[in-house]
Amino acid sequence: MVNKPSAQDVRQYLQTLANAEIAKKNQRFFKTGVGDYAEGEQFLGIRVPVLRKQVVQYQGLAPTEVISLLKAQFHEERLLALFLLVKQFQTASSEEQAVLFNLYLSNTQYINNWDLVDSSAYQIVGAFLEDKDRQPVYILAQSQSLWERRIAMIATFYWIRNHDFVDALKIAALLRDDAEDLIHKAVGWMLREIGKRDIDAEKAFLKVHYQDMPRTMLRYSIEKFPAPERQQYLKGLV
């Protein structure tokens, strides 16, 4: 009988892929200095495409072992854990998806960087809640945690891709006055995604909110507008 891999097996293998030079670059890119959003974050130095290749090898990892990996020290360990959760969610039964969804929301303290959120929130939270009560995203949107608020906004991408904008626009309005730049970027990004599918829906939201939106949020949301129109928004002349 062949033993299934454990989280420790995965960690040991990832150590063989580590690259100190890439790790240094990642520490700068992800702003790991004192007072930064990723203060103290540690990296092995493994590029994302290399990590994604490990999903096939370790997709049979038990959910409890995946969560153990999610609680690991290095960023890439947590990112791989989330790739695995997404893969498992996509092939799971309805009952198994409910378990994975609850595991995800019970461990958000380890989903603590923007790429970790963006690689998993809409694929798990958004996908699970598509045909259910979406109150959990509103609870997340009002969390004290920057990362839970970002999860709330990025989760709506799943519905946006299906041309369902109602909750995305409500969450965007809830987060309009957020203090964090990473929330401004997330909201602006989702508004831009709505605009790709229904420009009138995006512009209706902007008409109400654009003059009070943080500059980064506004810039992200109108990034694909014609240059003259962008300037009108940025000058408050729409």
Side-chain angles (χ1 to χ4, degrees), residues 214-232:
R215 205 67 166 173
T216 297
M217 187 183 295
L218 179 59
R219 285 186 180 277
Y220 268 59
S221 66
I222 63 175
E223 186 177 278
K224 300 299 182 181
F225 287 17
E229 191 173 12
R230 288 202 308 273
Q231 288 304 311
Q232 290 292 301

Side-chain angles (χ1 to χ4, degrees), residues 5 7 26 33 51 61 66 71 84 92-93 105 123 134 138 157 160 170-172 176 188 190 199 214 219 238:
N26 284 343
L51 272 183
L61 202 66
V66 176
K71 297 177 180 180
L84 290 168
S93 67
L105 289 191
Q123 299 98 319
R134 296 176 180 177
Y138 290 89
F157 190 31
I160 291 169
K170 288 180 179 178
I171 296 297
R176 188 198 68 185
M190 292 301 103
I199 192 63
R219 285 186 180 277
V238 176

Side-chain angles (χ1 to χ4, degrees), residues 146 149 174-184 214 217:
L146 156 64
R149 299 197 305 279
L174 281 174
L175 295 174
R176 188 198 68 185
D177 298 324
D178 200 279
E180 296 288 347
D181 186 64
L182 284 170
I183 299 300
H184 303 168
M217 187 183 295

